Amino acid sequence: MRKADEDRFREFARSHAMAMRRSAFLLCGDWHLAEDLVQTALIKMYRAWPRMVRTDRPVNYARRTLLRCWLDELRRPWRRAERRDGLVPDAVDGAVDPAWAQQRQDLRGELFDALSAIPPRQRAVLVLRYFESLSVAETAEALGCSEGTVKSQAARGLAAMKAALDPAAEAALRSELS
């Protein structure tokens, strides 16, 4: 890779890594896995950077690459559901990750729990539409599906999140949005 391309890639990675990490966390729910996903996505982008920079849309490419890395990670054998052998696994210690502990203290924790409870495709649509503020067309392009699919997945995902939220959290959310 030429020096100018490498410098542009480094600047892109420096300026977009935190946003990618936040999006990855919203998708997977684990800060450590989110960092791994961002690193994997950046490695794949580095390999394709000379071709990608000509398209003049590296942010869209990064978003799509991050989504694909997350979906690939879900398919890995060690990420599948654990076997039930009668032993209860250790509970997550919220105090270990300060960001996680802070999130659990407010309404965002409730929203994240509801977001984590919905299927991956619906979660991806909601993250792109409402957290990344993409249009229906841009979300459809990022996911490689039709606009109608984005609309239906968003409606189903929002309904599932609403059902997952308890009435107190839903009332607090409504008052906060008003």
Side-chain angles (χ1 to χ4, degrees), residues 26-175:
L26 289 171
L27 291 170
C28 70
D30 179 4
W31 285 111
H32 302 293
L33 179 57
E35 290 171 356
D36 291 344
L37 291 173
V38 169
Q39 287 299 317
T40 303
L42 288 174
I43 289 169
K44 289 181 179 189
M45 288 179 61
Y46 180 80
R47 291 182 196 145
W49 188 257
R51 291 185 317 260
M52 183 183 56
V53 96
R54 282 183 248 140
T55 65
D56 199 32
R57 299 180 81 178
V59 175
N60 292 346
Y61 189 90
R63 191 175 294 117
R64 179 177 279 182
T65 304
L66 183 65
L67 282 168
R68 288 183 178 164
C69 289
W70 174 60
L71 292 171
D72 288 346
E73 189 66 27
L74 288 177
R75 293 183 194 113
R76 299 208 191 280
W78 56 84
R79 293 283 180 207
R80 293 190 184 133
E82 63 187 27
R83 283 181 264 130
R84 298 179 185 243
D85 57 5
L87 299 174
V88 179
D90 293 338
V92 175
D93 184 8
V96 173
D97 190 355
W100 179 258
Q102 177 63 32
Q103 255 188 347
R104 300 295 296 163
Q105 294 175 2
D106 58 6
L107 182 59
R108 285 181 284 171
E110 293 287 329
L111 288 173
F112 181 75
D113 289 343
L115 184 65
S116 297
I118 63 175
R121 185 80 166 181
Q122 292 174 6
R123 188 179 327 155
V125 168
L126 293 181
V127 167
L128 291 175
R129 285 282 292 131
Y130 302 108
F131 290 97
E132 295 287 329
S133 300
L134 296 183
S135 68
V136 172
E138 291 169 331
T139 302
E141 181 185 340
L143 292 172
C145 63
S146 70
E147 291 181 21
T149 301
V150 169
K151 292 176 186 178
S152 66
Q153 292 293 310
R156 289 181 187 139
L158 289 173
M161 279 188 67
K162 184 177 179 181
L165 288 171
D166 63 354
E170 188 176 341
L173 177 64
R174 283 189 185 158
S175 67

